Amino acid sequence: MPEIKPKAPICHLEENIKASKKEASVKMKIAIPKESRAGETRVSASPEVVKKLTGLGFDVIVETNAGAGASITDDDFKSAGATIAKDAESALKSADMVLKIAAPSEDEVKKMKKGAVVIAHLAILSNKKDADIYAKAGLTTFAMELMPRISRAQSMDILSSQSNLAGYKAVLDAAGQYGSVMPMMMTAAGTIAPAKVFIMGVGVAGLQAIATAKRLGAVVTATDVRPATREQVESLGGKFLTVDAEMEKEAETEGGYAKQMPPEYFEKQKVVVAEHIKKQDVVITTALIPGRAAPVLVTKEMVASMRSGSVIIDLAVEAGGNVEGAKLGQVVETANGVKIVGHENVPGRLARDASQLFAKNLFNFIKPHVDEENKTINFDFEDETVSGTCVTRDGKIVHPMLTEQKNTKNIEKDS
């Protein structure tokens, strides 16, 4: 793994910050643009975080209506100490740092000055070409989705904070689509059986889905390739469905993510799940593998075996989907009456809370590197949270997961 050299005392946000240190009257500027991606309702800052940033001596510039989708007004941001910019160009052109939810578009990159720092969910492993664009523009970029899974980084982990909300919302979406009640009801007219809910993938989203479904009174089962999740499922009152205990022993990376499993595992999984799924009322799939297409967990045959009125929520639909027949941004009803829900940007369906948590994640990432005396931010590249998320710096792509892949491709070309 190539070593990220900079012991060079630390990144001083390039020439822009050095200049501001010479002139005490010039404050470091942090921009919060309105998200340009279609359907994105979240914003990368909250009034609480803006107040903290201005309290540290930074100028915070928020593009007008940036928080509209999250029910945060320009007045809310102004009251917290921000300046409101009339458009994206006004917000970005002089910014030393840009905080975003999603990766900047090429048009947004062109509006940023050389040396600016961009912190966002870049989805860089799925959009590797973007790294070249950032490097050529001279941007220092941090992909927050690559945050190492270490205990002190938990407060910076955007995947966890957003997945937690997605798991909760998935159950509510399922309840809204399901034509019956979730809990058992004993009435004078008779007893209504509780809904059977099956969660596939027991990460943060899956665990929250289990907890929420149990709170609504459903009977919950769950499965995951990682056997360590059995205890977590059972602690929340769910039952764990095992596929192959032997193969699942090697199913987890050191970082806590699920590994790509061999084809024979998925064949066995299909058999076990096919038998179980036909008895379920609600299925929620959450399985994602960083940098890869989502694995197909629910086949068309499985969907066809389910009862009319059953609901499937595919939380991995943006990465290709866990469910055959799922369509991004649509609710599909099959010939046998099963609804397959493929909502886009599920955390954005709870935009206010999602924005507040995301903003706090970004602030927690920045705060340890604030030089309060000089009112600037000096990133320490020997810090795992920094080196583990930095994608580009000094005009180069520096993240090992990207540089190693490039080196591999070059070797293959030469040979």
Side-chain angles (χ1 to χ4, degrees):
M1 184 179 288
E3 186 180 348
I4 297 179
K5 293 180 179 178
K7 200 170 184 181
I10 296 172
C11 169
H12 288 272
L13 301 196
E14 321 310 338
E15 304 94 21
N16 306 312
I17 307 305
K18 291 176 183 175
S20 67
K21 287 174 79 174
K22 290 179 182 176
E23 297 180 46
S25 60
V26 178
K27 290 185 179 181
M28 179 180 161
K29 295 179 180 179
I30 299 176
I32 314 294
K34 185 175 182 178
E35 293 298 315
S36 59
R37 186 176 69 172
E40 183 55 78
T41 54
R42 294 170 293 174
V43 62
S44 59
S46 64
E48 177 194 0
V49 164
V50 167
K51 191 171 184 179
K52 288 176 183 289
L53 290 171
T54 55
L56 290 169
F58 305 134
D59 271 344
V60 179
I61 306 161
V62 179
E63 182 182 350
T64 188
N65 292 323
S71 302
I72 305 173
T73 67
D74 289 349
D75 285 341
D76 290 334
F77 282 125
K78 283 173 72 175
S79 297
T83 301
I84 305 301
K86 64 178 181 179
D87 53 29
E89 185 172 4
S90 302
L92 296 172
K93 65 182 179 182
S94 62
D96 302 300
M97 177 177 285
V98 179
L99 305 182
K100 288 190 90 282
I101 296 287
S105 65
E106 284 195 58
D107 185 55
E108 287 174 314
V109 168
K110 288 174 185 174
K111 291 180 172 70
M112 298 176 196
K113 66 182 182 181
K114 184 179 179 181
V117 170
V118 179
I119 307 175
H121 184 167
L122 299 180
I124 202 67
L125 296 182
S126 302
N127 302 284
K128 297 181 178 71
K129 290 181 180 177
D130 288 353
D132 289 314
I133 295 170
Y134 306 148
K136 286 175 184 174
L139 302 177
T140 297
T141 57
F142 293 94
M144 292 297 287
E145 73 275 9
L146 301 181
M147 184 62 64
R149 290 213 158 173
I150 53 178
S151 56
R152 69 183 179 84
Q154 288 177 0
S155 66
M156 312 170 194
D157 188 350
I158 61 165
L159 295 183
S160 290
S161 73
Q162 303 303 292
S163 293
N164 194 42
L165 292 173
Y168 166 81
K169 185 61 173 170
V171 176
L172 298 190
D173 286 339
Q177 294 289 341
Y178 185 48
S180 299
V181 298
M182 285 284 194
M184 174 184 280
M185 287 190 178
M186 300 179 73
T187 73
T191 300
I192 299 173
K196 294 177 181 177
V197 177
F198 181 38
I199 314 294
M200 302 185 73
V202 189
V204 175
L207 288 169
Q208 182 57 250
I210 292 167
T212 304
K214 285 298 293 182
R215 283 196 292 269
L216 290 179
V219 173
V220 183
T221 54
T223 189
D224 194 286
V225 298
R226 299 162 298 168
T229 59
R230 173 189 288 273
E231 190 177 328
Q232 295 171 314
V233 170
E234 292 174 348
S235 71
L236 292 171
K239 290 186 70 175
F240 191 81
L241 182 70
T242 301
V243 173
D244 187 310
E246 202 57 40
M247 278 196 271
E248 287 167 355
K249 287 179 181 176
E250 303 297 325
E252 190 171 351
T253 67
E254 288 183 13
Y257 295 98
K259 282 184 182 177
Q260 178 73 36
M261 297 296 281
E264 55 267 31
Y265 177 85
F266 290 110
E267 288 306 311
K268 188 162 187 178
Q269 183 185 55
K270 284 178 187 176
V271 175
V272 174
V273 169
E275 189 57 36
H276 185 68
I277 211 169
K278 63 177 69 170
K279 305 166 190 172
Q280 303 304 303
D281 301 304
V282 172
V283 176
I284 297 173
T285 67
T286 72
L288 288 166
I289 299 168
R292 294 176 181 266
V296 175
L297 305 180
V298 181
T299 64
K300 288 179 181 177
E301 292 75 21
M302 292 178 194
V303 175
S305 75
M306 295 178 73
R307 293 189 290 257
S308 178
S310 300
V311 177
I312 304 173
I313 307 286
D314 191 344
L315 285 181
V317 69
E318 290 177 288
N322 295 144
V323 183
E324 285 188 333
K327 292 187 178 178
L328 182 61
Q330 295 184 37
V331 177
V332 177
E333 187 161 355
T334 66
N336 62 316
V338 175
K339 291 181 181 178
I340 305 174
V341 181
H343 287 313
E344 190 173 1
N345 185 20
V346 176
R349 292 166 63 78
L350 299 167
R352 188 178 182 91
D353 290 330
S355 298
Q356 289 175 341
L357 293 179
F358 196 104
K360 198 65 184 291
N361 290 147
L362 299 190
F363 179 78
N364 290 338
F365 173 61
I366 293 166
K367 181 63 171 67
H369 309 284
V370 172
D371 181 341
E372 294 191 33
E373 184 180 343
N374 293 305
K375 302 190 187 310
T376 188
I377 297 171
N378 305 323
F379 286 108
D380 179 359
F381 280 84
E382 292 191 350
D383 184 323
E384 280 182 86
T385 66
V386 176
S387 61
T389 55
C390 186
V391 173
T392 60
R393 185 183 176 215
D394 297 330
K396 298 175 183 176
I397 298 171
V398 297
H399 198 282
M401 293 179 78
L402 300 173
T403 55
E404 281 176 4
Q405 190 173 61
K406 279 200 166 191
N407 291 338
T408 303
K409 284 183 179 178
N410 290 336
I411 291 168
E412 287 173 355
K413 282 181 185 177
D414 294 341
S415 55

